[in-house]
Amino acid sequence: MTDTVRLTVNGRALTVPAGATVAVALAIAGAACRTSVSGEPRAAFCAMGICFECRAIVDGGPHQRTCQIVCRDGMEVRTE
Amino acid sequence: MTRSFDIVVVGAGPAGIAAACAAAEQGRRVALLDDNPAPGGQIWRGPSTAHRDAVSRAKERWLHRLQQNPAITSLHGCRVFDVPGDGLLAAEQNGQRVDLRYSKVVLATGARELFLPFPGWTLPGVYGAGGLQAMVKAGLPVRDQRVVVAGSGPLLLAVAAYLRETGARVSAVCEQASWRSLLRFGASIAHTSRLWQAAGYRWRTRGTPFHAGCWPVAAHGGKTLESVTLSNGTRQWTVPCDLLACGFHLVPNTELASLLGCTLQQGFVTVDALQQTLIANVFCAGEPTGIGGLELSLAEGEVAGLAAAGAIRAAQARIPRRDRLRAFAAQLAVTFALRQELHSLSKADTIVCRCEDVTWRTVSQYTGWRAAKLQTRCGMGPCQGRICGSALNFLLEWSPDSVRPPIFPVSIASLAGPTASAPAELSAIQEN
Ligand SMILES: Cc1cc2nc3c(=O)[nH]c(=O)nc-3n(C[C@H](O)[C@H](O)[C@H](O)COP(=O)(O)OP(=O)(O)OC[C@H]3O[C@@H](n4cnc5c(N)ncnc54)[C@H](O)[C@@H]3O)c2cc1C
Ligand code: FES
């Protein structure tokens, strides 16, 4: 098992430590997860699956709570 | 798919793990399910740090006991969202619906942090206190990042100690409770190991200023956090920082208990001496019955697991120890009671409902939760009011609305029934 994982965030390649959640990958990439109803950038907040601020598109699936998903090699993440 | 078990335990934190082990060791077939990718709940999340303390030793002991028991089926990334019938729970795992049939169920759904809205709290870089800790445990590097830890509760010092050990520069820990309450609390636990635990955290955060009677009033920044303004009631000052870890102690997760018809008192699930709720075959353990920390959650979990397995004598033998730990929970509630000044944290254009961007100006015109929901959509987003509802419960003393399924947004296919199977693309946020 390697100790890093490679994925893309909005099309840009990123390497993160194995076991990192997608919310962490987005934070490392400096990307907000989503834009709020009134246009504010939002990122992970509770980190325990409650607030839904960390929603993003993971491998085509919209509205995924990225703080509950562990990164896998080749994953494609897009912000919402 | 429907699977059947003697006992289903919802939540794999300390309380759920203890309940599952206790029941399985009595020969019952147990399912232990949790929303997270691995067991451990809030406190035993992620890999252990280099620092070996009582918490990490207990973690190793319990996870070992869990993993070596073949009578326990662990379901991870699995979230209960509905109660479709008697003795039946509906859950979603990997976008697929799984129904679980039980003879007895133990609810060990834990707690979440209480967040209070203040100007700037929606900026990226502002996290919950436990929230930032969870991000770091999940791989977020914080070396040389400037962090302020603020809010309330014993969690703050634990988080500050953890962040320091992972390389962050923690510039201040701010606890809203007064020195007077903290000293009284210290005196009340002076004869127990807990004082040593608290002293240990303080030693590990030595060099970081600890302010009692101090709370955050605003976070500032353009696209991300740049600084935070703190207040002690007479003076305000601003501290530059990259990250703010802020939570105002904990609120129990009681949605599933409510859906099952359990009685709540002052927000907590009512249980008898054997952790049984007022609903037949439904037990509850850990934070949903009262916020009391690790040891109480473990003790309640054991009693619930044994009682659910019918080992009443063994369960009764553990009651006195559990009751001693409950006295500590009562002390916690008094010590970290939120101060009056926090009622004015939200300003007119502060966003209260993060899902629907409803401001304090808008929401505070209404007299209750139901009207505000209907007129403003406050609490109608995907978090279903878990963040703003708890805040408004404190800020305006609004009592929560009745709980309706699904208690978490799930795919349309999962809502439809257990036989349907859905590709991930179909999943959509279902708004109630
Ligand atoms: C964010 C956070 C961080 C904390 N960090 C610390 C710390 O560092 N040190 C410390 O001493 N104490 C900490 N605490 C306090 C700690 O929670 C308690 O001491 C202890 O973990 C409580 O155990 P529990 O089993 O009752 O609940 P929890 O540990 O909260 O476990 C409950 C579990 O149930 C799951 N769950 C809830 N609802 C469902 C559902 N419908 N379907 C499936 N799964 C569900 C949750 O995801 C969770 O994993 C923290 C609390 C929080 C909220
Ligand atoms: S950060 Fe709150 S749900 Fe993911």
Side-chain angles (χ1 to χ4, degrees):
Chain A
M1 203 176 110
T2 57
D3 49 5
T4 59
V5 171
R6 289 180 59 81
L7 70 165
T8 64
V9 172
N10 292 332
R12 291 182 59 174
L14 185 72
T15 304
V16 298
T21 58
V22 178
V24 164
L26 283 158
I28 292 173
C33 301
R34 67 178 194 106
T35 305
S36 78
V37 175
S38 66
E40 289 187 357
R42 295 285 169 76
F45 175 61
C46 75
M48 56 180 287
I50 297 287
C51 74
F52 286 75
E53 288 287 32
C54 63
R55 287 180 343 249
I57 306 163
V58 179
D59 287 337
H63 311 317
Q64 303 295 310
R65 286 167 305 142
T66 57
C67 70
Q68 300 298 92
I69 302 173
V70 175
C71 294
R72 284 188 313 271
D73 267 320
M75 210 174 223
E76 287 177 21
V77 181
R78 297 208 156 265
T79 54
E80 293 202 338
Chain B
M1 182 170 49
T2 302
R3 302 178 69 172
S4 297
F5 296 90
D6 297 328
I7 296 171
V8 171
V9 180
V10 185
I17 292 173
C21 290
E25 286 159 13
Q26 296 296 319
R28 297 295 179 277
R29 286 192 331 109
V30 178
L32 174 62
L33 49 106
D34 196 288
D35 181 36
N36 289 281
Q42 302 306 336
I43 187 168
W44 293 337
R45 181 188 288 279
S48 304
T49 51
H51 191 91
R52 301 255 321 138
D53 55 10
V55 170
S56 55
R57 282 194 296 273
K59 173 183 174 181
E60 275 167 31
R61 208 167 47 241
W62 280 99
L63 288 184
H64 178 72
R65 198 163 150 187
L66 172 67
Q67 275 141 13
Q68 69 164 23
N69 198 317
I72 303 173
T73 305
S74 281
L75 301 169
H76 307 307
C78 180
R79 177 171 254 192
V80 176
F81 67 89
D82 197 3
V83 178
D86 223 18
L88 203 57
L89 299 175
E92 190 177 55
Q93 190 181 28
N94 302 326
Q96 305 281 327
R97 173 160 167 173
V98 186
D99 280 15
L100 297 140
R101 192 170 290 290
Y102 62 82
S103 304
K104 301 272 184 340
V105 64
V106 179
L107 307 177
T109 47
R112 56 181 178 260
E113 289 185 271
L114 173 63
F115 301 115
L116 298 179
F118 52 86
W121 76 307
T122 54
L123 275 172
V126 179
Y127 290 94
L132 181 57
Q133 183 185 43
M135 287 290 283
V136 177
K137 286 186 176 178
L140 183 73
V142 286
R143 182 155 298 283
D144 294 329
Q145 296 275 296
R146 299 161 306 170
V147 189
V148 172
V149 180
S152 196
L155 185 54
L156 298 185
L157 265 189
V159 169
Y162 179 79
L163 292 172
R164 288 252 316 225
E165 275 146 25
T166 47
R169 286 193 278 147
V170 182
S171 35
V173 180
C174 307
E175 163 60 61
Q176 61 85 36
S178 65
W179 272 119
R180 223 174 120 214
S181 331
L182 294 178
L183 290 174
R184 212 181 293 136
F185 180 61
S188 75
I189 57 172
H191 57 289
T192 68
S193 62
R194 290 177 187 279
L195 186 65
W196 290 107
Q197 207 177 340
Y201 282 131
R202 187 62 192 119
W203 172 249
R204 285 155 65 189
T205 53
R206 65 192 179 282
T208 293
F210 179 90
H211 305 287
C214 173
W215 59 94
V217 290
H220 317 276
K223 284 205 158 139
T224 58
L225 179 70
E226 288 161 18
S227 63
V228 55
T229 300
L230 303 165
S231 170
N232 61 9
T234 50
R235 192 171 74 83
Q236 294 197 352
W237 66 102
T238 298
V239 184
C241 59
D242 307 301
L243 298 162
L244 171 61
C246 181
F248 292 87
H249 208 196
L250 307 178
V251 283
N253 294 322
T254 55
E255 290 76 13
L256 183 56
S258 294
L259 202 57
L260 280 158
C262 301
T263 306
L264 303 192
Q265 252 180 331
Q266 288 169 340
F268 294 102
V269 179
T270 304
V271 288
D272 68 9
L274 293 172
Q275 303 293 141
Q276 174 147 16
T277 69
L278 299 183
I279 302 294
N281 303 324
V282 179
F283 295 74
C284 186
E287 312 278 49
T289 71
I291 305 299
L294 173 62
E295 285 176 69
L296 180 59
S297 282
L298 286 169
E300 291 195 358
E302 280 197 284
V303 172
L306 289 166
I312 305 302
R313 280 248 179 81
Q316 280 166 338
R318 285 165 171 80
I319 290 176
R321 183 176 128 75
R322 179 204 61 196
D323 288 351
R324 279 196 300 279
L325 293 165
R326 273 197 186 154
F328 173 73
Q331 293 280 352
L332 275 182
V334 174
T335 305
F336 297 102
L338 297 182
R339 59 174 57 235
Q340 277 304 319
E341 288 95 322
L342 298 176
H343 281 107
S344 47
L345 265 189
S346 298
K347 303 300 173 211
D349 49 12
T350 305
I351 286 172
V352 173
C353 168
R354 302 173 68 115
C355 296
E356 298 287 336
D357 285 358
V358 184
T359 60
W360 176 247
R361 181 193 291 112
T362 304
V363 76
S364 57
Q365 290 170 9
Y366 294 88
T367 50
W369 203 198
R370 171 96 25 113
K373 266 177 127 169
L374 287 174
Q375 304 297 325
T376 71
R377 292 197 53 78
C378 183
M380 300 281 278
C383 98
Q384 301 184 339
R386 281 184 174 77
I387 307 295
C388 62
S390 303
L392 290 168
N393 183 233
F394 168 73
L395 294 171
L396 295 171
E397 287 167 27
W398 285 357
S399 41
D401 212 358
S402 59
V403 174
R404 269 174 297 168
I407 58 169
F408 288 104
V410 289
S411 71
I412 292 158
S414 290
L415 276 183
T419 45
S421 66
E425 301 85 82
L426 276 184
S427 65
I429 297 251
Q430 206 271 320
E431 299 190 343
N432 60 346

